[in-house]
Amino acid sequence: MHEKLSPARLEELRKMDRAHHLHPFTDHAAMHPTGTHVITSGEGVYLYGEEGKLLDGLAGLWCVNVGYGRKEIADAVSRQIRELSYYPSFFNTTTEAAVLLADRLGRMAPGNLKYAVFSNSGSEANETGLKIIRQYQILKGKPNRTKILTRNYAYHGVTLATASMTGLPNCQQPFGLPLPGFLHAPAPYAYAVGREKDAEAYGQECVAETKKLIEKEGPDTIGAMILEPVQGAGGVIIPPAGYLAGMRKLAREYDILFVADEVISGFGRMGCWFLSEMWDLQPDLMILAKGLTSGYVPMGATMVAQPIAEALMKGGYFAHGFTYTGHPVSAAAALANLDIIEKEKLVERTKDKTGPYFQKKLREFAGHPAVGEIRGMGLIGAMELVPKGGRKELKPGMNLGILGAAKVRSEGAIVRGIRDLLAFSPPLVITEPQIDEMFASVRRGIDKLWD
Ligand SMILES: Cc1ncc(COP(=O)(O)O)c(C=O)c1O
């Protein structure tokens, strides 16, 4: 268990990788001289590879909520494959696992989000949401409501439409995006504009700007407002008090559907099953993926409010679905994963124990000379980094987060570097001593940031 690759095998893999593998979100010219890292095994919060043992402070990509190597999920997947490896849910048919998961999600999702449409990723779940919004608006006699309102720093996926929803220039510029009809309102990212001391007032200004944008575009042309209640990949942006309530109110005022993208926040990370429930957002659609299966196998779900689902069911043929929509193996993995989260009370534990401890340890960095701001809730957090001389010396393209994450990795923990910040999102099974261990690596890493 956890054996290292031999140097010869590692070199062989790196050679094949250089010759034949284009990686996602990777600068190949920077990676090829040294070669890719190869992760070979995982258990709990730890990963093993040629670098040795690493504490995974990002849960893969914000998704491995129950930690690595869970036998219960392996057994459920194995059982399902032996019994029925695959059958679609097209054409009046389905499988037991898909029905059980739809029923379970329909009962646990907040408010009247009673129906699940399955897919294979967060991008597909958002893309599915976009098509449902279009069809619903057409069925309601409002075919002109095709525009979609999202925000700067949003991350909703990488397909043409979901990358258009995403508000990050590096995800759009290389592809000539966004497509027409995707609107971006300001994000309540107070630190980015030097307003962290009056974040609440800044949040209200963002709501007022969004209102202006809606008025300028014409409310009757906008189908939906889609937002992550806490923005994740854009930099762990925690909304100031009153901001989300203001955005929800705007959507109601203009009869715009409200969609909560809970791909990261769903299934416990912030100390609740869903932020929509904790913050009473009453979304019309809710987007799920990642923690649904803890990343063991791919799966996404678009939760649909009852009145919209009823309109779709009465609206004739629902001409949407992927070959693997409701895949029984993914559904079996999701059910076993949800059993673990419930049985081990990972949501309650994050809320009452590990989340508060993690936030306390994170905030101990507040006085560090290389740290500009700390943000977070539950088991998610961010640390803005500053160069020598302080924040006034910060220049575009410094990428202190990328630099910092590399230093932390060489000290034994994986964290995410985003622009000039570090992001943290460990598996929910992390213990208090492991949180100490992770932040000890972070401290050793950022102590060397200015070297
Ligand atoms: C909030 C949010 N929505 C959607 C996505 C896209 O999910 P996927 O990468 O599974 O397509 C992500 C991925 O990080 C996400 O964080």
Side-chain angles (χ1 to χ4, degrees), residues 29 54 86 122 138 193 203 222 225 239 244 262 279 287 310 319 356 365 375 395 421 433:
L54 291 166
Y86 166 72
I138 290 170
V193 293
I222 302 174
M225 172 189 293
L244 281 175
E262 297 230 27
W279 288 337
I287 311 301
E310 276 168 10
F365 286 83
R375 298 186 291 274
K395 307 267 180 323
L421 66 92

Side-chain angles (χ1 to χ4, degrees), residues 80-98:
Q80 182 63 50
I81 290 176
R82 278 184 272 112
E83 209 166 278
L84 178 64
S85 54
Y86 166 72
Y87 200 77
S89 290
F90 283 40
F91 318 138
N92 306 357
T93 306
T94 190
T95 60
E96 187 175 0

Side-chain angles (χ1 to χ4, degrees), residues 218-241:
D220 293 347
T221 67
I222 302 174
M225 172 189 293
I226 302 183
L227 47 81
E228 301 151 85
V230 165
Q231 289 177 258
V236 187
I237 303 165
I238 313 288

Side-chain angles (χ1 to χ4, degrees), residues 114-435:
K114 299 283 178 226
Y115 285 81
V117 183
F118 292 117
S119 53
N120 307 292
S121 67
S123 299
E124 286 185 7
N126 269 313
E127 188 86 27
T128 297
L130 288 174
K131 286 181 73 181
I132 289 173
I133 289 157
R134 280 197 165 228
Q135 186 175 4
Y136 179 70
Q137 297 291 10
I138 290 170
L139 289 169
K140 297 297 264 186
K142 296 171 183 165
N144 294 331
R145 281 193 180 257
T146 55
K147 291 181 193 164
I148 298 295
L149 190 146
T150 63
R151 299 172 300 167
N152 300 331
Y153 297 103
Y155 189 84
H156 296 291
V158 294
T159 62
L160 287 175
T162 59
S164 296
M165 282 156 59
T166 288
L168 300 169
N170 66 338
C171 294
Q172 297 188 325
Q173 279 163 3
F175 311 104
L177 296 172
L179 297 172
F182 289 88
L183 315 173
H184 289 88
Y189 189 2
Y191 177 83
V193 293
R195 295 285 302 277
E196 64 275 16
K197 297 241 158 55
D198 65 339
E200 261 183 63
Y202 182 63
Q204 289 310 309
E205 286 168 35
C206 291
V207 174
E209 282 301 311
T210 308
K211 186 176 169 82
K212 269 195 227 156
L213 180 62
I214 293 171
E215 291 281 355
K216 180 174 139 256
E217 291 288 333
D220 293 347
T221 67
I222 302 174
M225 172 189 293
I226 302 183
L227 47 81
E228 301 151 85
V230 165
Q231 289 177 258
V236 187
I237 303 165
I238 313 288
Y243 166 81
L244 281 175
M247 294 292 276
R248 184 68 190 95
K249 195 158 155 257
L250 273 188
R252 282 210 177 89
E253 186 181 332
Y254 292 109
D255 202 16
I256 292 171
L257 294 176
F258 185 86
V259 182
D261 182 343
E262 297 230 27
V263 165
I264 290 180
S265 56
F267 307 105
R269 177 148 305 284
M270 321 231 174
C272 56
W273 280 96
F274 306 105
L275 284 175
S276 293
E277 184 161 46
M278 192 161 84
W279 288 337
D280 193 27
L281 298 176
Q282 303 177 10
D284 297 298
L285 301 180
M286 184 169 75
I287 311 301
L288 302 173
K290 296 193 190 278
L292 172 58
T293 56
S294 282
Y296 276 67
V297 290
M299 187 171 225
T302 307
M303 299 305 298
V304 185
Q306 183 118 17
I308 298 177
E310 276 168 10
L312 292 180
M313 289 186 287
K314 285 191 205 126
Y317 197 63
F318 182 50
H320 177 77
F322 306 94
T323 299
Y324 302 129
T325 289
H327 197 298
V329 176
S330 307
L335 289 165
N337 173 61
L338 295 177
D339 285 345
I340 294 174
I341 298 177
E342 283 181 5
K343 211 162 65 205
E344 297 182 6
K345 299 195 184 312
L346 294 179
V347 181
E348 295 82 350
R349 193 175 113 128
T350 303
K351 174 172 171 279
D352 299 327
K353 196 166 152 29
T354 47
Y357 187 74
F358 175 93
Q359 294 302 324
K360 180 171 145 268
K361 298 309 275 183
L362 177 62
R363 278 164 177 74
E364 285 176 7
F365 286 83
H368 193 288
V371 173
E373 187 183 58
I374 304 286
R375 298 186 291 274
M377 63 183 290
L379 282 172
I380 197 166
M383 184 183 289
E384 297 276 1
L385 300 174
V386 296
K388 212 172 193 163
R391 194 166 164 200
K392 61 182 188 316
E393 301 299 326
L394 207 51
K395 307 267 180 323
M398 278 185 160
N399 287 328
L400 295 178
I402 315 296
L403 200 70
K407 293 200 186 276
V408 174
R409 188 172 181 130
S410 64
E411 296 294 337
I414 297 179
V415 299
R416 172 89 177 260
I418 303 171
R419 298 183 303 276
D420 295 303
L421 66 92
L422 295 180
F424 313 99
S425 159
L428 307 187
V429 291
I430 196 166
T431 61
E432 292 180 4
Q434 289 166 342
I435 291 172

